[in-house]
Amino acid sequence: MSDSSQGRRLPAGFLWGAATSSFQIEGATREDGRGESIWDRLCRKPGAIADGTDGAVACDHYHRWPEDLALMQELGLNAYRFSVAWPRVIPQGRGAVNQEGLDFYERLVDGALARGLRPMLTLYHWDLPQALQDAGGWVSRDTVGAFEEYADVVSRRLGDRVRDWVTINEPWCVAVLGHVHGSQAPGLQDWKLGLRAAHHVLLAHGRSVPVIRRNSPGGKAGIVLIISPPVAASGSAADRAATQSFDGEFNRWYLDPLYGRGYPADKKAEYTAAGHAQDFEFVLPGDLEDIATPTDFLGMNYYSRTIVRSSAVAEADNEPRTLPEPPPERRTDMGWEVYPEGLTASLLRVHREYGPREIYVTENGAAYGMEPGPDGRVHDEPRRAYLEGHLGACLDAIDAGVPLKGYFAWSLLDNFEWAYGYRMRFGLVHVDFATLKRTVKDSARWLSQVLKTNWLRRGT
Ligand code: IFM
């Protein structure tokens, strides 16, 4: 896989997939016995979703999944990462199981396997049953037990067919966006709640790993973290301290306990000083051992690096920036910088410092809003270039010894991008939300060529 002007050969035995999540694509939120989720509830709050939309129809994947699986097969993918909606399976969060919900995921898994797509199943991608939220949600320790029961129900039913199991998607988003910033469900704004939620989410992960292993012999279990490498905007002491602090909040708060180091001492001290936690009394004996239950793989979601500028000192008192803000042409519609080198750096760092047995890039992609042109095609060259850069970054990491075993593009379809509604288009496949028509974008055609020729060429 050495660099050459001709391009680079792809690794053998690699998983090449697209990723989605239940609430973002399924729709059918009131069909076949599905219960209410915290996202159904948040969408009804005025102003919570930028375009005032919700997930009621989304991409209608609940009904159109055969077409969507066929699209992936035609593109030459060999894996599909999707999530199960907890309220579809256990509408009240605990107790009665909705067989129709389980039947849907069984059809989806069987359909994927029949089309040569290896299913990677995520148990929790943010759509908590509202009934559990009413009882405290992730702030309550009881939700940990409810998650274990839910993991048991799903893995009993699908454990003979699904090999790759993800417990939780992006605990930072669940804890901090959902309980501190309030931009995501359940829309709370209190660090004290966020730290408890983070702990319970991690504990739910650790406790469910043995459940999955019991029900899915030979299956593999892991968690998915969003990772962003921080870099200081200048060499000033203030910027360096802010960078360390960001890394602690975003990356190490999850990586450290998952890999047996407990919560990072610097951040514990910082949270305590800020009054966000008192003694971390919600961490009970045995919890850290459970959280550190060895896993088979780590999923890493990578979108961009984070350039950190301290807010603790006035701009005039700080050193001049050595790293300017990235210009608009290097940003996606989300405002995120296109920085593939950060993916290689993150993979190397996690491999070196934490040593997961295997790593998957479980999400990577870019929001660009191109629509079909007069020729009926979606000419999304920036997304193609983004993919090319990031696939190259994966190959660089493999060459450097990282046990990277697969790559999942985010996302298969344009979909409901949470608080942004349908304004942000991440799909390899364009969705017309009025007609639900799917159009394969040029970037997906390019990816398909890469996979079918097994060769990453530069440019189109
Ligand atoms: O759409 C989200 C996804 O649900 C989780 N990871 C980041 C994506 C883009 O924001």
Side-chain angles (χ1 to χ4, degrees):
M1 266 177 308
S2 59
D3 238 328
S4 92
S5 55
Q6 297 300 306
R8 303 169 77 178
R9 187 178 301 287
L10 304 185
F14 206 68
L15 288 193
W16 291 106
T20 64
S21 88
S22 45
F23 192 78
Q24 292 180 274
I25 63 164
E26 283 180 4
T29 49
R30 288 165 187 242
E31 272 179 59
D32 297 339
R34 178 186 177 279
E36 187 188 8
S37 80
I38 55 175
W39 272 95
D40 299 299
R41 183 68 65 94
L42 186 73
C43 288
R44 290 205 295 276
K45 189 174 152 195
I49 311 299
D51 59 2
T53 56
D54 59 31
V57 177
C59 307
D60 195 30
H61 182 72
Y62 188 74
H63 299 111
R64 294 168 196 249
W65 60 267
E67 178 186 352
D68 295 336
L69 295 182
L71 280 170
M72 282 185 273
Q73 183 181 26
E74 283 159 25
L75 289 175
L77 301 175
N78 62 16
Y80 177 38
R81 174 174 178 239
F82 66 96
S83 79
V84 170
W86 186 345
R88 218 181 263 297
V89 172
I90 308 180
Q92 296 304 308
R94 284 199 118 128
V97 173
N98 176 32
Q99 292 304 328
E100 282 182 282
L102 272 180
D103 291 347
F104 167 67
Y105 293 108
E106 186 166 68
R107 288 195 296 277
L108 185 66
V109 165
D110 288 344
L113 289 168
R115 291 166 179 83
L117 298 164
R118 178 166 163 150
M120 176 178 277
L121 185 155
T122 303
L123 285 165
Y124 187 74
H125 198 126
W126 308 354
D127 37 5
L128 188 76
Q130 180 62 38
L132 289 182
Q133 186 60 42
D134 294 343
W138 286 112
V139 176
S140 162
R141 199 174 167 94
D142 288 346
T143 301
V144 176
F147 184 79
E148 280 179 74
E149 291 162 23
Y150 161 60
D152 186 46
V153 167
V154 178
S155 57
R156 263 176 205 264
R157 180 72 169 264
L158 298 172
D160 58 341
R161 280 158 280 182
V162 172
R163 286 279 153 269
D164 305 306
W165 294 85
V166 172
T167 53
I168 307 278
N169 184 72
E170 297 176 350
W172 177 84
C173 297
V174 178
V176 178
L177 296 183
H179 296 78
V180 180
H181 299 179
S183 56
Q184 300 211 343
L188 303 173
Q189 289 183 298
D190 184 342
W191 262 110
K192 291 194 201 72
L193 304 181
L195 291 175
R196 277 174 191 273
H199 182 65
H200 295 147
V201 164
L202 287 172
L203 191 57
H205 151 76
R207 294 240 177 115
S208 66
V209 168
V211 175
I212 293 167
R213 291 227 173 92
R214 189 175 66 228
N215 293 334
S216 183
K220 294 183 172 182
I223 189 169
V224 164
L225 302 182
I226 184 155
I227 299 287
S228 181
V231 47
S234 82
S236 72
D239 284 351
R240 282 187 283 117
T243 304
Q244 168 81 0
S245 173
F246 173 87
D247 188 47
E249 177 196 318
F250 200 81
N251 301 317
R252 290 182 287 120
W253 195 256
Y254 304 93
L255 284 162
D256 279 14
L258 286 167
Y259 289 90
R261 301 183 191 172
Y263 290 111
D266 59 331
K267 285 304 287 188
K268 280 180 83 174
E270 197 183 311
Y271 288 138
T272 304
H276 298 335
Q278 260 190 352
D279 304 333
F280 292 85
E281 88 296 345
F282 50 83
V283 181
L284 301 189
D287 284 3
L288 291 172
E289 288 74 13
D290 285 348
I291 290 172
T293 301
T295 49
D296 301 293
F297 65 88
L298 177 70
M300 288 174 51
N301 294 351
Y302 174 84
Y303 289 90
S304 189
R305 70 173 168 180
T306 302
I307 299 174
V308 183
R309 186 68 162 164
S310 171
S311 56
V313 291
E315 188 64 26
D317 298 332
N318 205 341
E319 289 177 16
R321 298 176 75 112
T322 45
L323 264 180
E325 286 288 353
E329 62 274 15
R330 275 223 324 265
R331 295 171 185 255
T332 69
D333 288 356
M334 294 291 279
W336 299 342
E337 183 188 9
V338 179
Y339 191 71
E341 299 88 337
L343 174 55
T344 313
S346 299
L347 288 165
L348 284 167
R349 176 198 182 181
V350 167
H351 170 56
R352 196 176 49 239
E353 293 184 20
Y354 299 95
R357 289 178 192 158
E358 295 184 340
I359 302 179
Y360 292 94
V361 172
T362 34
E363 287 181 27
N364 175 242
Y368 291 112
M370 291 88 191
E371 293 288 328
D375 59 357
R377 291 183 52 166
V378 181
H379 300 297
D380 58 339
E381 169 56 23
R383 180 177 290 98
R384 190 210 63 75
Y386 183 99
L387 291 173
E388 180 187 329
H390 288 79
L391 294 192
C394 289
L395 299 187
D396 290 344
I398 294 170
D399 286 350
V402 174
L404 182 64
K405 302 297 176 189
Y407 173 95
F408 292 80
W410 184 268
S411 179
L412 174 66
L413 303 167
D414 291 339
N415 61 43
F416 179 78
E417 177 55 27
W418 308 112
Y420 296 87
Y422 294 94
R423 285 186 186 159
M424 293 294 157
R425 292 181 174 272
F426 276 91
L428 293 174
V429 176
H430 178 272
V431 177
D432 177 330
F433 290 107
T435 62
L436 297 171
K437 179 174 185 282
R438 275 78 163 137
T439 304
V440 173
K441 298 180 188 178
D442 285 358
S443 58
R445 293 170 190 267
W446 172 85
L447 179 62
S448 179
Q449 274 307 105
V450 169
L451 301 182
K452 287 175 182 166
T453 56
N454 210 31
W455 201 250
L456 177 63
R457 280 195 186 76
R458 293 215 181 85
T460 44

